[in-house]
Amino acid sequence: MAEVITMPRLSDTMTEGKVAKWHKKVGDKVKEGDILAEIETDKAVQDFESEIEGTLLYVGVEEGGAAAVDSVLAIIGNEGEDISGLTGGAAAPAATEEKKSEEQPKAETAVPAAAEVPAGVEVITMPRLSDTMTEGKVAKWHKNVGDTVKEGDLLAEIETDKAVQDFESEFNGVLLKQGVEEGGAAPVDSVLAIIGPAGTDVSAVGAPKAAAQSAEKPAEQKSEAKAEEKVAPAADTSTSDRVAISPLAKKMAQDKGVDINSVQGSGENGRIVKKDIENYQPAAKPAASVPAASAAPVAVSFVQGEDTETPNSQVRNIIAKRLSESKFSAPHYYLMVEINMDKAIEARKEINSLPDTKISFNDMIIKATAIALRKHPQVNSSWAGDKIIHRGNINIGVAVAIPDGLVVPVLKNTDQMTYTQISASVKDMASRAKSKGLKANEMEGSTFSISNLGMFGIETFTSIINQPNSAILSVGAIIEKPIVKEGQIVVGNTMKLSLACDHRVVDGATGAQFLQTLRTYLENPLTLLL
């Protein structure tokens, strides 16, 4: 008898899973223990093994697709067995929907019907490169229209909500069309590019909606055109006809009163596009000369400022979402301590005197924090609704500033790393983070986070917890100032630390004890070697 296999819940926070890869196809024999598929959760990619034997009769989620936990993933049974009752007729409606989408060109389907695609032409859609990705941004095209493309060639760099990833072609041919301009964004599964034989006409591919709209509203467009002719001066109309400008940019220019003849286009062949109008800054006009005989005071001319807008990147959107969720869901409280760094400064000098060794104070703080977490596992825990998860590994996330905001690359098993390993890893990941070269799995799995603004001279600050962590350490600058030592006022070097804690997991006393241990390690660096 056929058995229905549902999408498993592979982590406490998992609500849906993505099939990264199928290891079995419909019709293949399956044995108990065979790997059916690789399932990508909100944290990692895991192998999913079959617990029954038989033939794979049905696949409920296509490769690269996602489905909710407990939905139908696959059906295994005897070869030729009727499973229509188990699938609920899911296959038939899908076919019906496809037919409807072919019959209705107005639907906002990104990929055109198969009948519209010429022979030998391949339509490449915007890939889903992460579970939370809903749209992708083309950071850079590596192939231009007309270029020859081979399988494995790098087509473009796609910016997701987590990182920038290289996207390679799976086909051979000529790049006939770019569906998204460089710097532009498009929804997942919309047309990204079209590859096929040189000279193939693909103008109709991927544009059914535009055709429908133009057929529906010819009268409306004519009325708009007439209105524009009436409003715009005759000289402007005749001139703008000779300027390469997109319709949207033209309308924006009219609304803002911008002379399009003075705008430098950044689009293809110098075409003026939306961003050119948004970023346009009029040249300052020369001050009018005042007659010498005039007794009136000279008027001061001010250039009026203009508001501009910058569309949010995928990284900025996800930062805003996650930090808001953290701040509004986790009850934050803060503990602060001041540390004498004199011995840490001396220890760093001695360590850096060794050949091929150079560590920073941040590296020392990361190491000391990892060892302190081992002694205070409650701080290395996560809130999971009806339970607290005590993390077995210590994975410290290090906040890194990038042009789009902030990312947190993760040092896995930090407590087992040496100073030099920590230093090399932080430098490598920080460098790749700023060039958007980090992979998604390098920013997942943190159990505690550190944010350091000391290099900017900030003495003390508080941070928002990077969930699912329960705490984050904020590190200030090392300040030289008078301190009391053995009853005497002397010059010392101090540094302030601030610990933000989730009160659901870390009580005040627990957080204070952790900071005491961390303080001991930093004020007496040799204790880290014990």
Side-chain angles (χ1 to χ4, degrees):
M1 181 177 177
E3 294 284 343
V4 176
I5 300 173
T6 59
M7 177 66 72
R9 187 184 300 275
L10 300 174
S11 74
D12 294 328
T13 57
M14 177 179 172
T15 58
E16 70 172 13
K18 176 182 177 182
V19 178
K21 183 179 180 181
W22 278 105
H23 286 264
K24 297 290 183 180
K25 298 179 181 179
V26 173
D28 287 355
K29 298 292 183 182
V30 180
K31 296 180 180 179
E32 184 177 354
D34 282 357
I35 297 178
L36 268 182
E38 296 176 18
I39 307 296
E40 183 177 347
T41 73
D42 55 342
K43 296 179 179 178
V45 177
Q46 300 185 35
D47 291 339
F48 181 63
E49 299 179 356
S50 173
E51 297 180 356
I52 57 178
E53 296 188 0
T55 301
L56 183 59
L57 303 174
Y58 177 79
V59 169
V61 185
E62 64 180 4
E63 191 169 290
V69 169
D70 296 331
S71 60
V72 177
L73 176 65
I75 298 178
I76 295 178
N78 298 322
E79 188 173 357
E81 186 174 351
D82 181 15
I83 57 170
S84 58
L86 297 177
T87 60
T96 305
E97 288 176 7
E98 287 180 11
K99 289 181 181 178
K100 286 182 179 179
S101 65
E102 291 180 26
E103 294 170 1
Q104 299 177 1
K106 296 179 189 177
E108 294 187 10
T109 49
V111 182
E116 298 178 3
V117 181
V121 170
E122 296 290 346
V123 178
I124 301 173
T125 58
M126 178 65 72
R128 186 185 300 275
L129 300 175
S130 75
D131 290 334
T132 55
M133 177 179 173
T134 57
E135 69 172 13
K137 178 179 180 182
V138 178
K140 183 178 180 181
W141 278 104
H142 285 267
K143 295 290 184 180
N144 297 319
V145 173
D147 288 354
T148 299
V149 181
K150 296 180 181 179
E151 183 178 354
D153 280 358
L154 185 59
L155 264 185
E157 295 176 19
I158 307 296
E159 181 181 348
T160 73
D161 55 344
K162 296 180 178 178
V164 175
Q165 299 189 33
D166 292 340
F167 182 66
E168 298 178 355
S169 172
E170 298 178 359
F171 309 101
N172 296 323
V174 173
L175 183 58
L176 303 174
K177 179 179 179 180
Q178 293 176 343
V180 184
E181 65 179 4
E182 191 168 293
V188 169
D189 296 331
S190 61
V191 176
L192 175 64
I194 299 178
I195 292 177
T200 305
D201 181 13
V202 293
S203 58
V205 178
K209 182 180 177 183
Q213 287 179 337
S214 61
E216 285 177 3
K217 301 183 179 181
E220 190 174 321
Q221 288 179 353
K222 288 180 181 178
S223 63
E224 288 180 2
K226 288 181 179 179
E228 288 180 6
E229 289 175 4
K230 290 180 181 179
V231 173
D236 286 350
T237 304
S238 60
T239 305
S240 61
D241 288 342
R242 296 193 299 270
V243 177
I245 183 171
S246 70
L248 176 58
K250 183 177 179 182
K251 186 175 186 308
M252 290 176 63
Q254 291 174 345
D255 293 341
K256 290 187 174 186
V258 174
D259 181 8
I260 60 176
N261 294 291
S262 61
V263 179
Q264 182 66 41
S266 62
E268 187 176 356
N269 297 323
R271 189 169 186 250
I272 299 173
V273 294
K274 174 186 174 184
K275 66 179 181 180
D276 298 324
I277 303 299
E278 291 178 335
N279 300 329
Y280 173 71
Q281 296 292 337
K285 296 180 180 179
S289 59
V290 181
S294 175
V298 177
V300 179
S301 177
F302 293 98
V303 177
Q304 193 68 21
E306 184 178 353
D307 295 339
T308 61
E309 296 179 357
T310 302
N312 290 339
S313 65
Q314 298 295 97
V315 174
R316 174 60 66 184
N317 284 333
I318 203 69
I319 288 173
K321 179 182 177 183
R322 290 180 178 171
L323 290 184
S324 297
E325 289 173 352
S326 176
K327 189 66 175 178
F328 299 140
S329 65
H332 287 55
Y333 74 91
Y334 307 94
L335 301 172
M336 299 181 187
V337 66
E338 190 171 23
I339 295 176
N340 188 323
M341 293 293 287
D342 288 342
K343 291 184 179 179
I345 292 172
E346 292 300 321
R348 178 173 174 263
K349 286 181 180 177
E350 293 183 14
I351 293 172
N352 286 344
S353 66
L354 299 173
D356 301 322
T357 303
K358 187 175 182 180
I359 67 169
S360 66
F361 289 112
N362 197 51
D363 300 330
M364 298 179 72
I365 293 166
I366 293 172
K367 177 67 174 178
T369 301
I371 302 301
L373 286 171
R374 183 60 71 194
K375 291 198 172 185
H376 301 276
Q378 188 71 14
V379 184
N380 198 53
S381 303
S382 299
W383 179 260
D386 59 346
K387 58 190 172 185
I388 294 175
I389 303 173
H390 304 283
R391 304 295 180 184
N393 294 327
I394 293 175
N395 303 330
I396 293 184
V398 182
V400 175
I402 60 173
D404 289 339
L406 190 75
V407 294
V408 186
V410 181
L411 301 176
K412 304 294 175 66
N413 299 306
T414 319
D415 56 319
Q416 301 174 36
M417 300 175 71
T418 64
Y419 278 136
T420 53
Q421 289 173 332
I422 291 173
S423 178
S425 297
V426 170
K427 288 177 183 175
D428 171 58
M429 289 198 290
S431 174
R432 288 190 290 118
K434 292 175 181 177
S435 61
K436 297 184 178 180
L438 282 177
K439 302 299 182 184
N441 62 354
E442 293 178 303
M443 295 182 283
E444 297 175 347
S446 68
T447 60
F448 186 92
S449 299
I450 295 177
S451 179
N452 190 340
L453 293 179
M455 67 286 292
F456 299 107
I458 302 300
E459 294 187 35
T460 183
F461 67 103
T462 57
S463 302
I464 298 175
I465 296 170
N466 180 33
Q467 291 192 345
N469 301 171
S470 293
I472 183 171
L473 184 70
S474 304
V475 182
I478 297 176
I479 304 297
E480 187 178 41
K481 68 177 187 178
I483 62 172
V484 177
K485 189 174 183 180
E486 297 178 357
Q488 300 293 322
I489 298 178
V490 297
V491 176
N493 295 276
T494 65
M495 177 182 69
K496 292 181 180 178
L497 300 179
S498 171
L499 183 69
C501 303
D502 183 345
H503 216 319
R504 298 173 300 180
V505 181
V506 182
D507 294 328
T510 304
Q513 290 165 1
F514 167 78
L515 278 181
Q516 280 184 335
T517 301
L518 180 57
R519 180 180 196 167
T520 300
Y521 287 148
L522 290 174
E523 291 188 341
N524 302 279
L526 289 179
T527 56
L528 290 171
L529 306 176
L530 299 178

